[in-house]
Amino acid sequence: MVIKRRLASSLVYSLRFLIIILGFYGISGTQTDVNCLKRIYKSVKDPNGYLNGTWDFSNKTEGSICRFYGIECWHPEESRVLNIKLSEIGLQGEFPLGVEDCKSLTGLDLSGNSLSGPIPSNISKMIQYVTTLDLSNNNFSGDIPAGLVNCTYLNDIYLEHNQLSGNIPLQLGGLSRIKSFNVANNNLTGQVPKFEVNIPKENYANNPGLCGGPLEPCPVPPSKSHSGIIAGGAAGGVTLVIVVAGVAFYYISRMKVIRKKQEDPEGNRWAKTLKTVKAAKVSMFEKSASKMKLDDLMKATNNFSNNNIINSGRTGAMYKAVMPDETLLTVKRLHDSQRTEKEFMSEMNTLGSVRHQNLVPLLGYCIAKKEKFLVYKYMSNGSLYDQLHPSEPEAEILEWPVRLKIAIGAAKGLAWMHHNCNPRILHRNISSKCILLDHDFQPGLSDFGLARLMNPIDTHLSTFVNGEFGDFGYVAPEYARTLVATPKGDVFSFGTVLLELITGEKPTQVTNAPETFKGSLAEWISQLSEKSDLHSAVDKRLLGKGVDNELFQFLKIACNCVSPVPKERPSMFEVYQLLRAIGERYRFTADDEIMIPRETSDANFPDELIVSRE
């Protein structure tokens, strides 16, 4: 046994060494890997905007693609893609052929999307060094390519919950490294391959005609001793029976697949693993709240169906939850956190005690296996980002008084966090996506405090674009140099939100800028300022309605917030007071506002509130 373990260990290290050597000799990515991601980006539809928000190819620096959503590199400052993980984000289209240009790829996960069409017959040439291939929970059809046998490094193949048909190539049994193989819930027939490891029969379930291996034995071919006369006479009848049976079998199996998808439309494999811990308790901070279990959250979110996703960011996806009494809640599935359970619970108890009218309250949390869920108040008008940048062109625009109301309320919440909350809190992740709106468009900041729960690796420069300090376009320029979050960094991010409100532009896609401009919204505003042409940046739909003076005052505040020099930016207390003065005639706020703060320089914020230093 010891010898076998040493041999296995030796093989693993040899494989890693081989791949590294190959990386240095002839398959180093750089431009080919950039082209790989460009081709993927162009070949799939991204209705939920996961790629649109972070896959910015205008940044030509080495390693920039390593900060794209779902992309892992061999080294964060070298454009050589290691893994592509784009699971459960609603991608549409066919298998992205662009993966063939990611020459150093070792993992491909496209599970839980709406991809369709055949798996390419030459896939082995595209993923030569891949060890894990996950195409499960899609709509792929056609045959399983026999060429997969040439992907000799494969350890795991997941093809379940698709519409694949035909036989499973018996040659796949020759893949000596296989540890997992799953083709359940397809339309496959014939004998299953003989692998060196035991594949459970559940991994072949719900296919119309598979046999052999852990399944029922395959039928023995009929004897050839029958006379030609009998065989000829029976041939017509047998053929008819086979055709009828085959057609019936096909439609029955198709109905099973369709019914399965209707019952579980997105087929989230991770959610299915929670069945054994449905009784896990949801810890609620509100004493008046009824007792709740994980099972209640799963039912309320339709087993965390993608159809229930209402927002998504670096910290995790948020799901709409409809409780039995019609109460609406929001449940966030938190992305990976390497905090211990004790540390996580301590953080949650701290955040659960934070209450302010312009912060979305954390109502409770649940720990189930490796999954962590947060329960929030439901905000019926969604995120500010969706309101400013709707997917439907005919959607109503936000009028100026509503935009100003949102800006003042959000500034009030952030100023309270910076200056009056005890202990004082940095948000670290300000964007228009984390400003949620209730039925009356009263804003609430969400995701505050969550950045510190992320994987410690996220505190490095590799997450500068879409890491713990927000999405690209919101991040203060000094962070790339210091890697330290500060109150003035929050002010910069909030200033970008103000620019979104006044210009109607996205933080990274400025439609009114010249085609040659490839920078962020803040950089575009800076260029206009140098040309004394700031007024041209204001959303044309807001002008000429008797509020032009307010618009230009608002724009000036936003410009001060996004100053490239941190010391030149105002504090959040000053931002709030300036915005409040503009909106005084609208009577948005009461008189008893935030207390005048004591001096709050960056140095006065405790280290643990500025940045995690794990």
Side-chain angles (χ1 to χ4, degrees), residues 315 318 332 334 347-348 350-363 374 376 413-414 416-418 421 423-431 434-436 444-453 468 490:
T315 56
M318 302 187 79
K332 174 183 277 289
L334 198 65
E347 292 281 350
M348 290 299 99
T350 299
L351 296 179
S353 65
V354 176
R355 289 290 184 270
H356 185 271
Q357 67 187 81
N358 293 114
L359 302 182
V360 180
L362 176 64
L363 303 179
L374 311 182
Y376 289 97
L414 189 55
W416 183 83
M417 288 171 58
H418 279 198
C421 181
R424 286 174 280 186
I425 299 175
L426 291 185
H427 192 289
R428 295 182 171 88
N429 197 28
I430 289 291
S431 73
C434 73
I435 298 177
L436 306 183
L445 297 177
S446 67
D447 279 12
F448 57 90
L450 295 188
R452 298 185 63 227
L453 293 173
E468 72 164 299
D490 270 1

Side-chain angles (χ1 to χ4, degrees), residues 293-336:
K293 296 181 180 179
L294 175 60
D295 187 40
D296 299 316
L297 299 185
M298 295 182 70
K299 291 177 181 177
T301 58
N302 192 21
N303 287 326
F304 294 99
S305 165
N306 285 358
N307 293 332
N308 284 52
I309 292 179
I310 54 178
N311 197 1
S312 187
R314 181 64 180 174
T315 56
M318 302 187 79
Y319 297 81
K320 181 179 180 180
V322 184
M323 307 307 293
D325 62 356
E326 301 300 323
T327 300
L328 296 179
L329 297 173
T330 299
V331 181
K332 174 183 277 289
R333 179 201 180 198
L334 198 65
H335 281 176
D336 291 343

Side-chain angles (χ1 to χ4, degrees), residues 30 63 119 156 231-232 252 260 328 333 345 364 434 444 482 499 513 571:
T30 316
I119 300 174
D156 306 288
I252 291 173
K260 187 73 175 177
L328 296 179
R333 179 201 180 198
M345 293 174 64
C434 73
T482 66
L499 290 178
S571 69

Side-chain angles (χ1 to χ4, degrees), residues 4-20 131 153 155 177 179:
K4 287 184 177 179
R5 288 178 180 174
R6 289 177 178 174
L7 178 60
S9 177
S10 175
L11 288 172
V12 169
Y13 282 105
S14 298
L15 171 60
R16 290 177 179 173
F17 180 76
L18 173 63
I19 294 177
I20 291 172
T131 61
Y153 298 110
N155 291 324
R177 301 181 187 274
K179 301 294 186 295

Side-chain angles (χ1 to χ4, degrees), residues 51 77 86 94 111 150 183 242 248 297 321 350 355-356 368 413 425 427 439 453 466 472-473 558 573 595 607 611:
L51 308 187
E77 296 181 5
L86 300 176
E94 297 188 348
S111 62
N150 298 318
V183 292
I242 291 175
L297 299 185
T350 299
R355 289 290 184 270
H356 185 271
I425 299 175
H427 192 289
H439 67 283
L453 293 173
N466 60 351
F472 179 64
F573 177 77
M595 297 170 57
D607 278 354
V611 65

